[in-house]
Amino acid sequence: MTLADAVAAALFVGVIAYALFGGADFGSGFFDLTAGGARKGAQLRTLVDHSIGPVWEANHVWLIYILVMWWTGFPESFAAAMNTLIIPMLLALLGIVLRGAAFAFRKYAPTMGQARLYGTIFAGSSLITPFFLGAVAGAIASGRVPIDRRGDLWSSWLNPTSVLGGVIAVGTCAFLAGVFLTADADRSDLPKLAETLRLRTTLVGVVTGGVVFAALVPIHRDATTLAHGLEHRAAPLIVVSGLAGAATLGCLITRRYRAGRVTAVVAVGSVITGWGVAQYPWLLVDQVRIEDGAGVDATLVGLLVVVGLAAVIVVPPLAYLFYLAQQADTETETVTARSESRQ
Amino acid sequence: MVLAEAVQTLAGNDPAGLLPAREQMALSLGWHIVLAAFGVAFPAMILVAHWRGVYRNDDVALGLAKRWGKVAAVLFAIGAVSGTVLSFEMGLLWPGLMGPFGDVLGLPFAFEGLAFFTEAIFLGLYLYGWGRIPAKQHLLMLVPITGAGIFGTYCVIAVNAWMNMPVGFRMENGNVVDIKPWAVLLNKGSVLQFAHMWVAAYMVVGFVVAGVYAAGMLKGRRDRHHRLGLTIPLVFASVAAVLQPFVGHLLGLRIADRQPAKLAAFELALETESPSPLRLGGVLIDGEPRFYIDIPRIGSIIARNSLTKPVEGLNTIPPEDRPPVNITHLAFQGMVGIGTLLMVAVLIYWLWRWRGHDLSQNTWVLRFAVIAGPLAVVALEAGWVATEVGRQPWVVYNVLRTRDAAGDNPDLWVLLVATAILYTGLTVGAVIVLRSMASRWRAGEEDLPSPYGPEPEPLRADASDSRRSS
């Protein structure tokens, strides 16, 4: 493994982390949006607030990590991608801004009307962001980002692979979020809510799984390099993803929510990893290889030092934070249960 | 769009993306810098309040720490959003900088990311820690937040210092070669610039927070909660305000050698004079300075630490290498003027206090304390404008012109308008939310949820749920 490969791998770990942590977080917007009116949806929205509370802000950090690793490790390809994909990048960014701000504002909104307004903005923008980031991934994976000039501003991301990438991103986010929210609702002794979520999540899972596998057909025609990778080197991961996805649906149907969370993470994680493996060794497919797009060795070593430090400095307190958040959960469970029994 | 075209014509043959990119960067950085100051300086103030609470059994101080933690969380959340915007914009607006120089300047950003992550996690731990982590360990959670904030500031300033004093690479036939990324992080030029920004952050946050409590006291809320809420940040702001002129002076001394064009613009020096006067006020109209007062010799003393050494005039600099003089000069003088005013004000305040008069009960003093916050913000923005505009037309001094860093994209004007609307919305939202938090606290709702924090205590959770759903 070369230095450039190591940095690309570290960058990709960030992509996977963002897809999983950020995915569950963005996806909760889908359930928030479809929760119903203010009174009917109050319980689900409270659950959403509660379960993404500890993670939602840390998720920006994953994205910043990806961008910084990219522009430092592979600067020319970063500039090229930003130049060609300016429109979807900006729309994703718009979603991030609106969502982050609206989520914080909703918590403190002085009136019900304002809370609803912020809530709608939060939930709507939760769908926008993964769609456009998925479209960006599709543009890169289908070889539509040239390195030496600006690619077409529209067709670079309005094409079968990009649009499918966006749809799959939204679907997987919602699926992940649904599984986690169902488990949360179950754990908090909210059986009625858990049932509603279970049905919706199963539906989302079936649709998303269907799209992922159906997408292989148009991708085969539209993005040949990627399709070749998916059908050969990445094929085992796609199979794992399919099995884990099916297992998750099984867990939902049989109400084994705890196990379902693990299989859902495996299913989504292996789809994302499959994309990375299928694309390897291309940085921008059909344009630049990882090896050729990398910055100088001294910088790559510096980046790996930062990654190493992050593993030591950041991971233990992050684990402790999740542990504390779980503790906070158990304290409030009794309350929520009481409030449901009253309704 | 007519306006955009007119500006474009004025800008001559610059690429279409240059002006809107500049304005957009100015808008989003100028907005973010205030929140960044809170990220750096506020945790230290919370640390002092919390320390008082724990080690001196001061419940009022502990209450302040708890509330400030929640305010910090909201500001941090918005700051994270605008920080994400900036990392996109680096690539979207400046492909000519990030393409060739990304691997030169990137490492400090990577470390800044690490610092930011650490800050975010420990802030989360701090907010979740109330009543869950033993008191003294809980207090310690603030130490990494404070430390990471300081380190992160250093890293970002290191990149800016690099733009002013490029190191860690050579140009060879138009190519960037011989890259030493650690040199950017360890650039000697970063230290003073960092010190200036760091101290500025304490001034801004100290005066703004003190001003909030001063406003409360003006409305008749003169309890211990408000007095302490005024005093703790004011002590930080005072120390910073007194230190700042010295730090700024040391930083300024370097400019004569490094960036003579910037110094000439700061001082509105059209021609070299020896010794140079200090020029107060003044604007350039048709190439002639108007409306100014010259104080002989002081310019040489301030800018060069000498009675005789001159400030090099703009006439020694080729026209295409001169920064926009008026903006740079006025921003610089605005920063220095406000800084001096604030320093004098805090010196008088503490001198009087030392002589046994408590000025914190004086209405006029409180009124000044209220406007000191906004004044400090203006000084921060002015200082930033002075250093950034003063570096023009270079993005990397003497290496890369800003014009060559920008992309060729006229549609950026649309984006600029959208950004302006969005940031206005964000600002209004933030103000509404912070005011609503304050009024709910006053009404006795102590345990408000925070974006990071746990759900409120059981009984209150019920109360707020029924309030929401009704």
Side-chain angles (χ1 to χ4, degrees), chain B residues 8-34:
Chain B
Q8 216 63 71
T9 322
L10 282 176
N13 53 2
D14 286 335
L18 177 63
L19 251 168
R22 264 191 178 150
E23 302 305 320
Q24 172 130 8
M25 206 65 190
L27 173 67
S28 34
L29 249 178
W31 204 83
H32 181 73
I33 199 170
V34 179

Side-chain angles (χ1 to χ4, degrees), chain A residues 131-262:
Chain A
F131 176 81
F132 288 108
L133 289 178
V136 163
I140 291 171
S142 59
R144 288 185 165 93
V145 178
I147 188 72
D148 48 356
R149 66 194 156 80
R150 164 172 283 173
D152 191 276
L153 282 179
W154 297 98
S155 70
S156 60
W157 61 281
L158 282 175
N159 57 69
T161 310
S162 292
V163 171
L164 282 169
V167 172
I168 289 172
V170 173
T172 49
C173 288
F175 180 57
L176 267 181
V179 173
F180 275 78
L181 286 171
T182 312
D184 273 358
D186 182 59
R187 208 160 41 112
S188 313
D189 270 330
L190 300 166
K192 269 190 285 179
L193 186 60
E195 275 308 294
T196 321
L197 281 167
R198 185 176 78 103
L199 287 175
R200 289 188 196 174
T201 306
T202 312
L203 191 66
V204 169
V206 169
V207 172
T208 306
V211 173
V212 167
F213 284 91
L216 290 174
V217 178
I219 286 176
H220 188 83
R221 252 175 289 155
D222 188 56
T224 37
T225 308
L226 178 73
H228 183 83
L230 285 173
E231 286 154 18
H232 293 84
R233 196 180 315 123
L237 284 162
I238 303 303
V239 173
V240 168
S241 170
L243 292 176
T248 313
L249 292 178
C251 289
L252 283 171
I253 290 163
T254 55
R255 297 191 177 80
R256 292 198 186 93
Y257 303 125
R258 206 173 270 270
R261 292 193 298 194
V262 179

Side-chain angles (χ1 to χ4, degrees), chain B residues 359-431:
Chain B
L359 286 181
S360 72
Q361 298 303 315
N362 180 300
T363 310
W364 283 101
V365 169
L366 289 175
R367 280 182 192 152
F368 184 79
V370 172
I371 61 161
L375 278 178
V377 172
V378 172
L380 173 78
E381 298 285 357
W384 173 69
V385 167
T387 188
E388 293 295 281
V389 177
R391 194 188 59 238
Q392 303 305 324
W394 303 100
V395 62
V396 184
Y397 193 65
N398 275 341
V399 177
L400 179 70
R401 284 179 193 270
T402 314
R403 190 200 307 140
D404 301 324
D408 200 9
N409 192 348
D411 297 334
L412 286 182
W413 283 105
V414 182
L415 175 62
L416 177 60
V417 173
T419 315
I421 295 169
L422 202 64
Y423 273 53
T424 310
L426 273 184
T427 312
V428 172
V431 170

